[in-house]
Amino acid sequence: MAGKILVAYATRYGSTLEVAERIAEKLEKLGHECDCMDFQDVDDITKYGGIVAGSAIQMGKWLPEAKEFMEGKRVFLSKIPVVLFSLGITLSDPTDHVTRKALFATDEICQYVTPKEIKLFAGRLIRDELIDADRDLVILAKPPFGDFRDYKEIEKWTEEIESKYFRDLL
């Protein structure tokens, strides 16, 4: 089986893309060959020996393209290590309730894959970047605005998953 790692993501406003890029960069510094790609751009998954897959959480779910990818590739994904991460603005204040709701967003994905690990990260929400439809929803939900991503935490987690699940791909 191939030793390359795919870091795949679904994003609406770029926050999850930036986290995925940071994960791929860290894995490369640890000696791995990685591709960092939007789920919609992945054509041949068979060249990968492992996957780190992430999505923004919107309306309590992973984005549709991430779900479709995991569902469509589930047979191959059952043969390699899969690690999941989610980004959500509500995780800026990770109470037990918020954390349970964020984990619930991956439950649907876990119908298709059995991840080695699931990690939750606080995301970014910038009012001026929102399209009108999202802005209307945000007004009702009243989440905090700002960038709450913790890149030190993300890099530390990447080191941990590399040593647990991907080290033998070197």
Side-chain angles (χ1 to χ4, degrees):
M1 187 154 306
K4 197 176 206 182
I5 299 171
L6 173 64
V7 181
Y9 62 88
T11 191
R12 279 296 167 265
Y13 293 100
S15 181
T16 310
L17 159 64
E18 292 167 353
V19 169
E21 288 174 336
R22 187 68 66 98
I23 291 168
E25 288 169 13
K26 186 66 178 176
L27 288 169
E28 287 176 346
K29 286 180 184 174
L30 294 169
H32 294 276
E33 185 179 352
C34 295
D35 287 332
C36 184
M37 302 172 70
D38 188 299
F39 283 108
Q40 297 175 84
D41 296 331
V42 179
D43 53 358
D44 179 14
I45 192 169
T46 62
K47 61 184 173 184
Y48 300 105
I51 181 172
V52 180
S55 177
I57 298 172
Q58 282 194 334
M59 303 299 293
K61 295 185 175 207
W62 266 31
L63 296 175
E65 57 270 29
K67 176 197 168 281
E68 290 167 12
F69 178 90
M70 300 305 251
E71 182 179 11
K73 309 292 187 192
R74 67 182 175 271
V75 172
F76 181 77
L77 293 173
S78 70
K79 301 173 187 175
I80 63 172
V82 176
V83 178
L84 305 180
F85 71 94
S86 299
L87 259 70
I89 196 62
T90 60
L91 292 163
S92 62
D93 182 20
T95 64
D96 285 343
H97 177 71
V98 166
T99 301
R100 279 194 307 275
K101 283 179 69 175
L103 284 171
F104 184 74
T106 60
D107 284 352
E108 184 176 26
I109 304 308
C110 292
Q111 295 177 60
Y112 312 116
V113 298
T114 304
K116 299 286 188 184
E117 194 167 309
I118 300 169
K119 183 67 173 173
L120 305 174
F121 295 115
R124 178 188 78 201
L125 183 64
I126 307 300
R127 184 186 312 262
D128 294 341
E129 293 179 356
L130 298 172
I131 61 172
D132 290 341
D134 288 344
R135 192 173 298 117
D136 293 343
L137 289 172
V138 165
I139 289 169
L140 294 173
K142 300 179 184 173
F145 287 95
D147 189 344
F148 301 96
R149 295 170 296 176
D150 181 341
Y151 283 109
K152 287 182 182 179
E153 177 189 11
I154 292 163
E155 288 188 8
K156 181 177 183 252
W157 176 74
T158 303
E159 290 174 358
E160 291 170 4
I161 62 167
E162 188 277 336
S163 68
K164 289 184 201 174
Y165 311 116
F166 303 124
R167 179 77 41 94
D168 63 341
L169 296 177
L170 288 172

